[in-house]
């Protein structure tokens, strides 16, 4: 399944000449279907069905990725990223409890990577986070049941619209 999703994600990504320089993911209910604080470090986490393929496709296309999570249990979140083999996929991991709707997370990601907010695409399951980060200039996508191919399509389409660039899709 991950290979099929990866191939479809690569095809979708290939339809756009203007890609985000950085794709940022929330963790809880965005990459995986649970809250880290309800888990133990010795558990083996599972991700939503399309997540692995999408992350692999972005990596293969040279798109940098980062994590922005307000988890009160960053040690568990980081352990899970290691167990899933994702820890090395992210150029920045801002995982800490906060009341700032992720704006502080994005300030830190920006300082670490130098990527402008307008060159970022963000996926999160909480509307308040996507709204706050959108005001910073980040293209933000609200996901219902985790990141999937539809969310990726919507994200790339919105990013291109926000960037003033069009799709180069071939039909």
């Amino acid at each position: 399944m991950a290979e099929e999703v990866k191939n479809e994600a690569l095809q979708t990504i290939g339809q756009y000449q203007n890609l985000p320089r950085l794709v940022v993911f929330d963790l809880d209910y965005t990459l995986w279907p649970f809250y880290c604080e309800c888990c133990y470090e010795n558990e083996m986490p599972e991700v939503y069905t399309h997540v692995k393929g999408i992350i692999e496709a972005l990596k293969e296309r040279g798109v940098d990725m980062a994590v922005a999570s307000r988890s009160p249990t960053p040690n568990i979140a980081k352990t899970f990223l290691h167990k899933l083999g994702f820890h090395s996929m992210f150029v920045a991991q801002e995982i800490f409890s906060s009341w700032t709707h992720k704006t502080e997370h994005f300030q830190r990601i920006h300082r670490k990577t130098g990527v402008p907010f307008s060159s970022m695409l963000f996926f999160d399951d909480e509307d308040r986070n996507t709204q706050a980060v959108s005001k910073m200039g980040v293209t933000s996508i609200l996901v219902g049941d985790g990141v999937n191919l539809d969310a990726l399509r919507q994200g790339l389409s919105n990013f291109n619209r926000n960037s003033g660039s069009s799709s180069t899709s071939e039909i």
Side-chain angles (χ1 to χ4, degrees):
M1 176 65 150
E3 195 63 31
E4 292 170 24
V5 171
K6 177 183 171 185
N7 289 336
E8 194 168 338
L10 282 168
Q11 188 175 21
T12 298
I13 294 165
Q15 293 175 354
Y16 295 93
Q17 56 189 1
N18 186 30
L19 296 175
R21 285 184 44 202
L22 185 67
V23 175
V24 183
F25 297 100
D26 171 45
L27 295 176
D28 298 345
Y29 289 96
T30 301
L31 291 189
W32 47 58
F34 54 83
Y35 290 112
C36 285
E37 61 263 33
C38 298
C39 300
Y40 296 99
E41 285 184 72
N42 63 350
E43 293 180 56
M44 185 59 197
E46 297 214 3
V47 293
Y48 285 106
T49 311
H50 292 177
V51 166
K52 189 175 188 314
I54 289 170
I55 287 176
E56 288 176 356
L58 288 167
K59 188 72 172 173
E60 188 171 307
R61 284 301 304 263
V63 177
D64 283 339
M65 293 171 283
V67 170
S69 174
R70 293 186 309 114
S71 174
T73 54
N75 53 327
I76 293 174
K78 289 177 182 179
T79 297
F80 285 179
L81 289 171
H82 272 276
K83 286 184 175 191
L84 292 163
F86 290 167
H87 62 284
S88 63
M89 301 286 233
F90 300 109
V91 297
Q93 294 180 28
E94 292 301 326
I95 306 170
F96 57 89
S97 189
S98 166
W99 299 105
T100 62
H101 309 305
K102 302 226 174 136
T103 53
E104 188 179 345
H105 294 75
F106 273 81
Q107 293 288 355
R108 289 182 183 196
I109 288 170
H110 171 67
R111 279 196 300 274
K112 274 186 183 169
T113 64
V115 175
F117 297 127
S118 61
S119 296
M120 296 181 191
L121 172 59
F122 175 50
F123 295 95
D124 197 305
D125 68 309
E126 289 188 50
D127 193 41
R128 63 186 174 148
N129 292 329
T130 57
Q131 285 184 15
V133 173
S134 289
K135 289 177 185 164
M136 299 171 79
V138 177
T139 300
S140 302
I141 301 299
L142 181 67
V143 297
D145 292 314
V147 171
N148 58 35
L149 288 166
D150 288 337
L152 178 66
R153 284 184 202 98
Q154 181 188 356
L156 293 173
S157 175
N158 289 8
F159 180 81
N160 274 268
R161 188 170 53 250
N162 294 347
S163 303
S165 180
S166 62
S167 166
T168 59
S169 55
E170 300 167 2
I171 299 177

